Amino acid sequence: MRQLRLSLRRPVSYARRDLSLGPSNAQAIAALDAWPAWHGGCLVLVGAQGIGKTHLAQGWAAQAGALVLDRDATDVSAANGRPVLVEDVDQGVDAETLFHLINMAGHDGGSLLLTARSAPSAWSAELPDLRSRLNALPVALIEEPDDEVLEGVLRKFFRERSIRPPKEVFPYLLRRMERSIPAAREIVRKLDEAADEEQRPISRALARQILEDDTDNLDLFDG
């Protein structure tokens, strides 16, 4: 009889101590740490989906006591004279709202952190004055994750599931996995579920099984 599975997952943390550090995000971290001396009071964090923008942005927001606005918000009166965070701006935002937020960021007590998958120069801008302001925004790029960051996020995702795999699992995965943070999260999920389903510990052999299964499925799909 299979044992009942206990829910031991830890809550997601955006604290700096839980951030995986490496050359790929060093520029972005240094740019964030330069606050409140950002040029014009603004900074844009740019990086692929799932690369860690939210972790960095939410950590900054907590430190700065920032107002976190939804990108569909139109009332910005509460943002006057205080730090503000708006995420996924390139996915759609009211042009006048963004224009006012950028202007307000340059006033005493104001600042504005934006996150996006693309640079501001690629965002649509219906207002001519907004276009010029977007082109002038300082940008911090989060690059594709290096080995240090990938190992760090693997360890973080395992910790969130209260799992301590043997140390040889990490270099094995790093040499063979897709090099993205969403892929790291998915591998940890599959390892956790396979270990539970088969009633066996997480190991290098189980990691090989998961990766080979993924490759076989991709081959079938491509065929």
Side-chain angles (χ1 to χ4, degrees):
M1 181 180 296
R2 294 182 62 232
Q3 296 178 343
L4 292 177
R5 192 179 191 194
L6 298 178
S7 178
L8 298 174
R9 296 187 189 180
R10 302 180 185 180
V12 175
S13 170
Y14 295 123
R16 177 65 67 89
R17 65 179 178 274
D18 294 316
L19 179 67
S20 300
L21 307 177
S24 59
N25 58 18
Q27 180 206 11
I29 293 170
L32 280 173
D33 288 346
W35 177 81
W38 295 342
H39 177 70
C42 298
L43 181 67
V44 184
L45 279 181
V46 175
Q49 180 181 10
I51 207 165
K53 299 187 298 296
T54 291
H55 193 140
L56 286 170
Q58 293 291 338
W60 171 83
Q63 172 196 352
L67 173 68
V68 181
L69 286 178
D70 293 333
R71 57 186 173 85
D72 58 354
T74 55
D75 181 5
V76 297
S77 57
N80 192 29
R82 63 178 300 184
V84 176
L85 166 64
V86 185
E87 294 212 69
D88 300 321
V89 176
D90 57 334
Q91 303 303 302
V93 66
D94 180 74
E96 290 190 9
T97 298
L98 184 56
F99 179 78
H100 290 311
L101 287 173
I102 293 172
N103 287 340
M104 293 165 67
H107 297 162
D108 288 345
S111 51
L112 177 63
L113 177 63
L114 306 173
T115 72
R117 300 178 195 175
S118 59
S121 58
W123 303 352
S124 61
E126 301 169 3
L127 304 175
D129 288 344
L130 177 59
R131 175 78 277 153
S132 62
R133 281 165 174 75
L134 292 181
N135 291 341
L137 289 177
V139 174
L141 176 65
I142 307 177
E143 299 176 353
E144 293 301 318
D146 51 78
D147 277 0
E148 292 177 50
V149 169
L150 277 179
E151 180 171 346
V153 297
L154 283 169
R155 292 184 181 277
K156 177 177 182 289
F157 295 150
F158 279 123
R159 283 198 305 272
E160 289 174 356
R161 293 173 177 266
S162 299
I163 299 171
R164 297 182 63 182
K167 61 182 181 180
E168 64 267 17
V169 166
F170 296 101
Y172 183 84
L173 289 174
L174 289 172
R175 289 194 300 270
R176 294 165 175 84
M177 63 180 283
E178 176 189 327
R179 302 190 65 78
S180 75
I181 293 175
R185 185 189 301 275
E186 182 68 3
I187 285 173
V188 171
R189 181 190 68 80
K190 288 181 176 180
L191 282 168
D192 185 17
E193 293 180 356
D196 178 69
E197 180 70 26
E198 301 178 22
Q199 292 292 289
R200 55 188 286 200
I202 290 178
S203 63
R204 176 173 160 168
L206 186 59
R208 181 173 66 248
Q209 174 184 317
I210 294 297
L211 292 174
E212 288 177 350
D213 286 348
D214 286 346
T215 301
D216 290 344
N217 289 336
L218 284 175
D219 289 343
L220 287 172
F221 181 79
D222 291 340

